[in-house]
Amino acid sequence: MTKTIKLISPVDGAVYAERPVLTGPEARVAVARARTAQPAWAALPLAERIAKVQAGIAALNAMKDDIVLELAGQMGRPTRYGGEFGGVNERSAYMASIAETALAPMVAEDSDRFRREIRREPVGVVFVIAPWNYPFLTAVNTIVPALIAGNAVVLKHASQTLLAGDRLAQALHQGGVPEDVFQNVVLDHQTTEELIAERSFGFVNFTGSVKGGQAIERAASGTFTATGLELGGKDPGYVRADADLDAAVDSLMDGAMFNSGQCCCGIERIYVHESLYNAFVEKAVAWVKAQKLGNPYDAETTMGPMAHRRFAELVRGQIAEAVAQGAKALIDPADFPADDGGAYLAPQILVDVTHDMRVMREESFGPVVGIMPVSGDDQAVALMNDCDYGLTASIWTADAEAASEIGARLETGTVFMNRCDYLDPALCWTGCKDTGRGAALSNLGYLAVTRPKSYHLKKVTK
């Protein structure tokens, strides 16, 4: 009997899609096809590879109307937001625009006696294990530079967004990327780990949980396979006394609640200078109460269900535990009648919170945020760093120099001033501590999917 993976829609709990899982032998055949096809792809001129990848992204855009509906059905994002195409196009276009420079040889000498240089060689087959929360945005971060650099790519998408993998393959193949050079596969955990342990890939990129990242590292142990691991966050925002209060509230609360809080760089905890604290909380509550929780296909809905009932249960547990420990919940779930105790979860703001509570230290990945008053920069920095994660941190201030000085003290991958919850493709996307390791986007993103190869060429002289 063929093993399958079923995608359960959070909208109604019904099976939305089902796909057969490759057996171990079938998966190894797929990897072998990728390895065989890769050299011919790498031999194409860089400009031709770029053109085919860009054509693939254009083909993906042509599927927008269907994809927006599919995202709502698969993981609950409201259709009003139009999918992820703004970010997909921005990141893909930027990585294509810098490819020639990023992949150019580093020439140490080019004289009548020697040519000495370092070239960037593709690593071979890149394995991308993509998450469900932003199934296109996160995937293109690695897929686009990997293909442009001359690698073959094998994509394993999350079971909650199976159709995203189908769409990416369909689009890239339409753009001219050969079918064996880009493959979308459906694998179980055991086969995934076996392939990594067998050194099937030159690079493995994983976006997901800490436990998932640990499993990838265990599988790769002893193989010397390079890995890029982006494992989530508990990202803080700090509102200084000189901040633009309305701008801070609007952006931070959007950062906390957009996509029902299911964003690795979303805002999960906020520290506000005591002089602005009461006003910030009041405005934040008003902001949240203006949201509409409901069916993601409804154009009026601003918050859909969480991607799975068990994710909502985790957040409900954190909230209940915090309240039992003394936190105060400021949002009445009755104001959000769509909250059904299942995947549909009302947003929540917690005050009187402390770092003894899980909701302020462990990843929530849902529509809840704790807000604490602070006396100044020193206390804010101490609290922002009091966490096992380090993805992004957001500082709200009119003083750029102060923001830079505070940022230098923070244990994080990205420091924002007066914005949050955004990936700038010109800057490295990275993290520290339990957030993982590695670098995506920017020039550094090409380093992850290539290896240096040195050429020391002594010229014959008469």
Side-chain angles (χ1 to χ4, degrees), residues 7 62 86-87 116 125 152 261 292 317 349 368 377 399 401 403 441 443 446:
L7 191 170
R116 298 181 294 126
V125 181
K292 180 180 178 182
I349 294 174
V368 58
D377 295 346
D399 189 337
E401 184 176 345
L441 301 177
N443 282 13
Y446 278 104

Side-chain angles (χ1 to χ4, degrees), residues 193 196 204 206 210-223 225 227-229 231 436-437:
E193 292 174 18
I196 295 171
V204 177
F206 172 79
V210 172
K211 287 185 178 179
Q214 290 169 337
I216 298 298
E217 281 209 328
R218 283 194 298 269
S221 177
T223 67
T225 301
T227 59
L229 306 172
L231 310 177
R437 67 182 185 194

Side-chain angles (χ1 to χ4, degrees), residues 34-55:
R35 190 177 293 116
T36 299
Q38 184 268 328
W41 172 252
L44 294 176
L46 175 60
E48 188 171 341
R49 295 198 302 269
I50 292 173
K52 291 180 184 295
V53 172
Q54 289 180 315

Side-chain angles (χ1 to χ4, degrees), residues 358-434:
R358 282 196 304 142
V359 76
M360 293 300 286
R361 295 182 59 85
E362 297 181 12
E363 188 169 37
S364 300
F365 220 64
V368 58
V369 65
I371 307 177
M372 293 178 65
V374 292
S375 59
D377 295 346
D378 289 344
Q379 185 182 14
V381 168
L383 289 170
M384 294 167 88
N385 284 340
D386 184 27
C387 178
D388 290 335
Y389 293 97
L391 185 54
T392 80
S394 174
I395 304 165
W396 295 80
T397 179
D399 189 337
E401 184 176 345
S404 181
E405 292 174 353
I406 293 167
R409 300 166 61 190
L410 295 176
E411 298 164 353
T412 189
T414 296
V415 176
F416 291 112
M417 185 180 85
N418 298 333
R419 80 177 309 174
C420 60
D421 194 22
Y422 171 71
L423 274 71
D424 181 343
L427 300 179
C428 175
W429 188 243
T430 187
C432 60
K433 300 192 283 190
D434 279 358

